[in-house]
């Protein structure tokens, strides 16, 4: 079907209506992967948000998985609450917005908490995906945050890791840790 502009200015507004069986709530008309074709879709899927609901241990001087065990939502079941790993679903590669925060409880004066972005089990490269936050005094909760955009392909995995250089094993701080991602619609892949 094609739609052409009217030859003259119509007396009333024209409207385009899709059949009731086309699309679902929240979807938009978007370009298809087939040139010259439109389709219904959700350009910001997949998306998820999760947070830490149970304290976990963080050993000194080593990156450990930042555990965010409770989902707020997960549009495509792509986030695993057992491992805190996001896996890009089939046909959903593209640019992604990544947001995260980690908190370490009771670290020493002058020591730090760090967050790192890992893709496919390795520290993401190029650099710039590590953030640090220093403790100004002893026995403080210290939080490091990360917000960035990355390009991913189907099947790749993403997780956050946390590290501190204080003495001994420290605990995470419940409800101060979070991890969320969504695909950026309209970004060419």
């Amino acid at each position: 079907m094609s739609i052409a502009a009217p030859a003259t200015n119509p007396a009333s507004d024209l409207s385009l209506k899709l059949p009731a069986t086309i699309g679902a709530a929240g979807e938009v008309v978007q370009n298809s992967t087939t040139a010259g074709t439109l389709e219904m879709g959700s350009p910001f899927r997949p998306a998820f948000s999760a947070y830490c609901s149970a304290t976990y241990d963080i050993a000194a001087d080593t990156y450990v998985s930042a555990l965010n065990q409770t989902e707020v939502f997960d549009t495509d079941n792509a986030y695993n609450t057992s491992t805190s790993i996001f896996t890009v679903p089939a046909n959903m590669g593209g640019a992604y917005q990544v947001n995260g925060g980690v908190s370490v409880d009771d670290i020493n004066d002058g020591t730090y908490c760090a967050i790192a972005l890992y893709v496919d089990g390795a520290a993401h490269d190029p650099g710039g995906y590590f953030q640090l936050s220093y403790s100004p005094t002893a026995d403080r909760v210290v939080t490091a945050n990360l917000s960035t955009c990355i390009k991913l392909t189907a099947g790749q995995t993403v997780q956050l890791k946390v590290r501190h250089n204080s003495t001994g094993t420290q605990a995470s701080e419940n409800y101060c840790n979070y991890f969320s991602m969504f695909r950026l619609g309209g970004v060419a892949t």
Side-chain angles (χ1 to χ4, degrees), residues 95-122:
Y96 279 80
Q97 174 66 40
V98 181
N99 305 295
V102 294
S103 293
V104 181
D105 195 7
D106 296 331
I107 66 174
N108 297 328
D109 180 22
T111 60
Y112 67 83
C113 156
I115 186 172
L117 178 65
Y118 275 61
V119 176
D120 294 332

Side-chain angles (χ1 to χ4, degrees), residues 42 55 64 69 127 131 142 161 164:
S42 298
T55 301
V64 300
Q69 314 95 331
Q131 296 294 322
V142 177
K161 292 201 175 191
H164 70 85

Side-chain angles (χ1 to χ4, degrees), residues 134-153:
Y134 283 89
S135 178
T137 60
D139 299 324
R140 297 286 185 208
V141 174
V142 177
T143 302
N145 299 292
L146 179 127
S147 179
T148 191
C149 294
I150 60 174
K151 189 172 180 182
L152 299 167
T153 58

Side-chain angles (χ1 to χ4, degrees), residues 152-163:
L152 299 167
T153 58
Q156 286 193 286
T157 61
V158 180
Q159 71 181 128
L160 298 178
K161 292 201 175 191
V162 58
R163 173 189 173 130

Side-chain angles (χ1 to χ4, degrees), residues 45-105:
R45 276 191 35 237
F48 79 92
S49 180
Y51 64 92
C52 176
S53 57
T55 301
Y56 59 92
D57 289 337
I58 304 166
D61 296 318
T62 185
Y63 279 101
V64 300
S65 294
L67 301 180
N68 293 286
Q69 314 95 331
T70 301
E71 287 180 340
V72 178
F73 66 89
D74 183 359
T75 62
D76 292 79
N77 296 316
Y79 181 75
N80 184 328
T81 57
S82 298
T83 62
S84 297
I85 294 175
F86 169 78
T87 304
V88 179
N91 301 315
M92 294 210 174
Y96 279 80
Q97 174 66 40
V98 181
N99 305 295
V102 294
S103 293
V104 181
D105 195 7

